[in-house]
Amino acid sequence: MLSPFPLGRPARMAVMASGRGTNLEALLEAFPPQNPWGEVVLVLSDNPEAYALKRASRRGVEALAIPWRGRKAFEREALDLLRARNVDLVLLAGFMRLLSPGFVEPWYGRLLNIHPSLLPDYPGLHVHRRVLEAGERETGSTVHFVDQGMDTGPIVLQGRVPVLPGDTPETLERRVLFLEHRLYPKAVRLVLSGLAFPPGDGLKALLGEAWPRFQGLSPREKPLYLRVAALLSAWGLGGLVPAALMGQGGDWGRGAFLAAHLLAEDHPALRRELAELPEEVRLRAEEALRRVESPL
């Protein structure tokens, strides 16, 4: 199985945050109670003073602080709470601690983070200052699966914004944060729909002759190819995946690539090409787009 999702029921999500919680607020708005995608049922923080806890409490979501007395104690209590609340997906949103392998491993593929840069560039702290100092002309944000490194896990989704003349770290932070409030919920819907997952057991067999090509892709390219594989598999065309990834998948392969691109970022030219495909292909692709783009 490539992904533990979709579940066939609304997901139970937990958010871990250390500070203001603006991305938490966006997630709470995107996944309220009774949302068919799922809802945030628990918010955890290592900081008892985090404003994120107040945001959650105002919306009637259970909000708990686990004061930091060391990583082992914090993680043990957090894992117990996640199990007790039957959480399906954990979302880090400004959580400023590095989690241990003992926490990450059982949640791998079900643990996401958002980082304010176009990973793998600029991992770590002070991102916006570093972006400006390097003279970059664009930046953005990345939602990724959490692995045992710092901001190194497989990418789910990225969004881009320009760097403008006269920008400061503060203006850049506001621009990227606005982007993140839309990017994170969309990435969560991709994961919950089974269209985003980290490479794992079974992928090599599915990709077949396209496996070497996939291995040679950059970290930013791999999510696109994984979405294509997931779409074709969901359409009952898993056997077409190797040919499609090699550019020999015909109309179905082309439709999957167009849909995979559009799931990440809308583009009028790609929409037009999709509309010109055979009706059966077009309808399946448009159904996938509507599902992920819809908040309900």
Side-chain angles (χ1 to χ4, degrees):
M1 183 171 63
L2 297 176
S3 169
F5 304 104
L7 297 172
R9 58 169 172 80
R12 295 174 60 82
M13 293 176 271
V15 178
M16 296 171 63
S18 298
R20 295 174 298 171
T22 62
N23 270 309
L24 166 65
E25 189 76 37
L27 292 166
L28 291 169
E29 290 181 5
F31 303 106
Q34 309 306 315
N35 186 290
W37 285 105
E39 65 178 291
V40 177
V41 299
L42 177 65
V43 173
L44 299 177
S45 181
D46 60 316
N47 174 15
E49 302 301 317
Y51 193 68
L53 295 171
K54 295 181 180 179
R55 292 181 188 271
S57 296
R58 281 204 306 260
R59 290 179 175 265
V61 175
E62 184 178 15
L64 300 173
I66 307 175
W68 190 262
R69 297 184 297 272
R71 188 165 68 173
K72 186 175 181 180
F74 175 89
E75 291 184 352
R76 181 173 59 247
E77 190 169 346
L79 286 170
D80 287 344
L81 285 165
L82 295 174
R83 283 191 292 266
R85 303 305 187 268
N86 296 311
V87 168
D88 301 301
L89 183 65
V90 179
L91 310 171
L92 306 185
F95 183 71
M96 303 306 291
R97 305 284 185 176
L98 189 63
L99 296 167
S100 74
F103 189 103
V104 171
E105 286 177 6
W107 283 95
Y108 187 61
R110 300 180 297 145
L111 177 61
L112 302 182
N113 183 44
I114 190 164
H115 181 76
S117 79
L118 294 172
L119 293 173
D121 296 340
Y122 304 103
L125 301 175
H126 311 299
V127 170
H128 306 303
R129 175 178 58 77
R130 290 156 58 202
V131 165
L132 291 171
E133 289 173 350
E136 301 285 3
R137 295 185 179 181
E138 70 173 3
T139 185
S141 182
T142 303
V143 179
H144 64 95
F145 291 103
V146 177
D147 64 6
Q148 297 179 25
M150 179 182 288
D151 304 323
T152 55
I155 292 168
V156 175
L157 191 64
Q158 293 187 310
R160 297 169 181 269
V161 295
V163 178
L164 303 180
D167 266 336
T168 65
E170 292 74 24
T171 61
L172 208 52
E173 179 185 19
R174 287 196 297 271
R175 191 174 307 133
V176 171
L177 199 57
F178 184 85
L179 166 70
E180 290 185 339
H181 294 166
R182 287 143 187 81
L183 190 73
Y184 211 169
K186 185 176 183 180
V188 170
R189 292 194 294 270
L190 278 173
V191 171
L192 293 178
S193 65
L195 295 178
F197 48 88
D201 295 341
L203 183 62
K204 184 175 182 179
L206 177 65
L207 300 192
E209 64 179 346
W211 176 248
R213 179 172 188 173
F214 176 79
Q215 287 183 299
L217 297 173
S218 73
R220 294 179 185 171
E221 293 172 311
K222 285 181 177 178
L224 173 71
Y225 281 68
L226 291 174
R227 286 195 296 274
V228 170
L231 286 166
L232 289 171
S233 297
W235 298 341
L237 297 169
L240 190 60
V241 169
L245 299 193
M246 300 295 288
Q248 301 164 1
D251 289 332
W252 282 105
R254 190 166 189 80
F257 265 105
L258 289 169
H261 273 288
L262 290 166
L263 283 167
E265 183 178 7
D266 201 6
H267 197 292
L270 300 187
R271 290 273 182 181
R272 179 178 177 179
E273 284 189 46
L274 185 61
E276 295 170 349
L277 289 174
E279 183 179 23
E280 185 180 10
V281 179
R282 175 179 59 80
L283 290 176
R284 295 301 291 270
E286 289 176 347
E287 178 186 12
L289 293 172
R290 279 195 303 272
R291 176 161 170 72
V292 173
E293 290 168 354
S294 172
L296 299 176

